[in-house]
Amino acid sequence: MDEPFVKAKAILNILHKNGYQAYFVGGSVRDFLLQRPIGDIDIATSARPKQIIDLFPKTIDVGAVHGTVIVLHKDDQYEVTTFRTEEGYDDYRRPSHVEFVTSLHEDLKRRDFTMNAIAMTIDGDIIDPFGGRKAIKEKWIQTVGDPNERFFEDALRMMRAVRFSSQLSFLLCKETVSAIKDNASLLKKISVERITIEFEKLLSGPGCQDAIPILVNTNLYQYIPGLADETHHLGRFSLYKWSQLQGRAEYWTLICYLLNKHDIKAFLRQWKLPNKIIEQALKNVACLKKVLQSGWNQRLLYDCGAECIQQIERILNVLGVSQEVSPYQEFCKLPIKQRSDLLITGADLLLWYNQKPGKWIADLYQTVENGILENKVENNKEKIKEWLLSCNQK
Ligand code: ATP
Ligand code: MG
């Protein structure tokens, strides 16, 4: 058994000693069988949320009504969820009501795909009532039960199917594809935030090249924010290795650039992204367009700053645009990197020109910045004064 499971055995042990059933479930068991790196370990138990909270000294109640409690143990955290079925799916979203049950089998049955509906005991024995191991071996994504019913219950599962195909390089089985085609419009009912998470994971997967055409062929893309009718642009998404990008802002920069959106801010807001990501992506797209049009120059490097330049460098790489010299290295050579590096202040300009404050100060600042960046003058107070007054720069 892999080390993360060995550590997590302590949690199962405590639950067992207190008379409860407990198993490893979900993505960690799937990834263990696939010999992929294991992410979060999920545990399913017959103990009720209140009983879980009473048993462990450190817990976080993240959704006890739905049966989930986070247990903190020796710097690690585990999602411990009471065996449950889900009922009353309102609006094709998460269940309005969950019912706690005593059987592991019932709990596995409510899970989305056969590969995600496998449990593992504390001794490493596998419980696999729906043929998940076979699906993993043959690299198939297949719903537990009738795909039409399962997508009707929770339409996000359609996005999950495509993102898993990208992350794991698995194929969707025929019935799953045809059920996505039939139910694609139900995605309208799903919150944008949940779709955003799945879409980002889809792009970052090694099988993205094959997953994007699934979005198009099943028509699912018509119900993803801002992607409706973007058939042509979206097709180009398959050409690039998105996994070489780092961080969400880089993803969203490339998405905006490839979709060639006019109102980028409105597009990004549709996805309910945090303002910080929106601002960074806006800055990046503007810079990327300038670079692609006329290359880097000192002023552009200075205006972008280190963080933006490094992000653009990676995006240009993904786009296959070769850079003879590294723009970041060019940036490092600039005599000034930001406005606060200037050795003059507004007060100096007021004193030298003896005029009322006004827009002329900002203009002059820019003139000085340009002069320094173009090596026309040194970043030295006396030299700047001399240069400004002698060339009558104002
Ligand atoms: P990841 O590696 O992305 O975390 P995961 O399979 O662990 O993949 P999670 O979203 O963490 O995915 O969910 C944990 C488990 O809960 C899944 O493996 C699956 O069994 C179940 N699950 C999650 N979302 C759904 C859903 N929408 N419908 C049914 N079961 C779900
Ligand atoms: Mg998980």
Side-chain angles (χ1 to χ4, degrees):
M1 214 183 271
D2 289 10
E3 200 225 325
F5 287 113
V6 175
K7 280 166 109 183
K9 276 185 179 188
I11 308 293
L12 297 199
N13 260 325
I14 293 174
L15 287 160
H16 288 166
K17 274 196 195 131
N18 286 276
Y20 302 110
Q21 301 172 55
Y23 301 90
F24 299 119
V25 284
S28 57
V29 179
R30 178 199 67 224
D31 291 340
F32 167 67
L33 293 171
L34 271 167
Q35 296 180 325
R36 290 177 84 230
I38 289 159
D40 297 339
I41 293 200
D42 294 324
I43 293 169
T45 177
S46 57
R48 296 292 176 93
K50 166 137 191 359
Q51 294 163 331
I52 303 168
I53 292 167
D54 288 347
L55 269 182
F56 295 94
K58 283 191 206 153
T59 56
I60 308 170
D61 175 354
V62 282
V65 275
H66 289 103
T68 303
V69 173
I70 289 189
V71 172
L72 303 166
H73 179 78
K74 288 191 181 167
D75 298 336
D76 288 309
Q77 57 178 53
Y78 302 96
E79 221 171 81
V80 183
T81 306
T82 308
F83 294 157
R84 62 177 205 223
T85 57
E86 300 174 349
E87 275 172 24
Y89 287 89
D90 290 343
D91 289 346
Y92 322 100
R93 280 192 239 132
R94 284 179 220 245
S96 58
H97 171 73
V98 304
E99 189 158 325
F100 297 136
V101 292
T102 50
S103 123
L104 170 70
H105 188 277
E106 281 297 301
D107 181 85
L108 294 178
K109 200 171 152 195
R110 60 120 182 139
R111 293 175 183 271
D112 47 7
F113 304 108
T114 57
M115 63 181 182
N116 290 342
I118 308 174
M120 184 164 77
T121 68
I122 194 164
D123 299 320
D125 293 330
I126 296 292
I127 301 165
D128 177 21
F130 305 105
R133 263 175 308 186
K134 185 166 183 278
I136 288 174
K137 202 164 155 236
E138 294 173 359
K139 299 180 182 283
W140 285 113
I141 294 174
Q142 185 174 32
T143 52
V144 175
D146 179 355
N148 278 298
E149 276 173 30
R150 303 313 308 280
F151 295 152
F152 192 79
E153 284 170 358
D154 179 356
L156 186 76
R157 290 173 187 153
M158 297 186 283
M159 279 300 289
R160 284 174 61 86
V162 189
R163 81 102 152 150
F164 280 125
S165 84
S166 172
Q167 284 184 320
L168 307 173
S169 299
F170 276 25
L171 291 175
L172 268 60
C173 67
K174 220 171 73 205
E175 296 76 22
T176 308
V177 175
S178 101
I180 296 180
K181 278 185 185 159
D182 293 344
N183 295 282
S185 67
L186 297 180
L187 197 66
K188 279 191 281 195
K189 309 281 182 183
I190 297 295
S191 78
V192 176
E193 291 88 340
R194 293 177 82 203
I195 297 177
T196 303
I197 294 171
E198 298 301 328
F199 189 59
E200 288 179 359
K201 287 185 177 176
L202 186 159
L203 290 178
S204 68
C208 170
Q209 261 100 335
D210 297 320
I212 291 288
I214 303 177
L215 285 185
V216 176
N217 297 336
T218 55
N219 238 16
L220 204 53
Y221 78 113
Q222 293 287 11
Y223 307 96
I224 299 179
L227 297 190
D229 300 324
E230 293 288 2
T231 330
H232 170 68
H233 287 136
L234 195 56
R236 291 176 58 211
F237 279 40
S238 300
L239 302 175
Y240 304 106
K241 282 222 158 40
W242 294 78
S243 54
Q244 289 174 2
L245 298 177
Q246 288 174 21
R248 303 180 74 192
E250 293 178 29
Y251 275 88
W252 289 99
T253 304
L254 188 54
I255 293 170
C256 292
Y257 173 71
L258 293 177
L259 289 175
N260 200 15
K261 291 279 177 193
H262 294 300
D263 191 345
I264 297 175
K265 201 168 191 170
F267 170 74
L268 294 171
R269 284 206 171 135
Q270 256 185 302
W271 292 82
K272 304 248 173 83
L273 297 168
N275 279 336
K276 202 168 165 242
I277 306 275
I278 296 183
E279 294 307 324
Q280 185 71 56
L282 278 170
K283 184 176 173 188
N284 284 353
V285 177
C287 172
L288 180 64
K289 284 184 178 166
K290 284 185 194 159
V291 174
L292 289 170
Q293 207 164 36
S294 32
W296 292 100
N297 59 52
Q298 260 90 336
R299 181 78 217 184
L300 186 56
L301 289 167
Y302 176 79
D303 286 341
C304 287
E307 193 187 358
C308 173
I309 293 169
Q310 286 170 308
Q311 298 198 358
I312 298 293
E313 237 181 326
R314 277 188 292 271
I315 294 167
L316 288 170
N317 248 331
V318 169
L319 285 170
V321 177
S322 62
Q323 308 273 295
E324 277 155 36
V325 277
S326 149
Y328 181 67
Q329 277 172 17
E330 291 302 297
F331 172 79
C332 292
K333 288 187 212 154
L334 292 180
I336 47 171
K337 313 277 188 296
Q338 59 210 345
R339 182 154 278 191
S340 58
D341 292 346
L342 274 187
L343 291 177
I344 59 158
T345 62
D348 292 326
L349 295 175
L350 283 170
L351 188 72
W352 298 340
Y353 284 89
N354 197 20
Q355 283 185 21
K356 277 192 206 153
K359 186 177 168 293
W360 65 270
I361 295 185
D363 293 344
L364 212 50
Y365 244 104
Q366 193 151 0
T367 307
V368 173
E369 278 172 345
N370 286 341
I372 296 172
L373 288 168
E374 289 160 18
N375 292 318
K376 288 182 181 154
V377 58
E378 237 180 84
N379 185 21
N380 166 299
K381 197 182 220 171
E382 280 314 307
K383 298 226 162 111
I384 292 170
K385 182 179 176 187
E386 207 177 289
W387 178 72
L388 277 177
L389 300 176
S390 69
C391 333
N392 196 17
Q393 296 287 349
K394 183 166 150 326

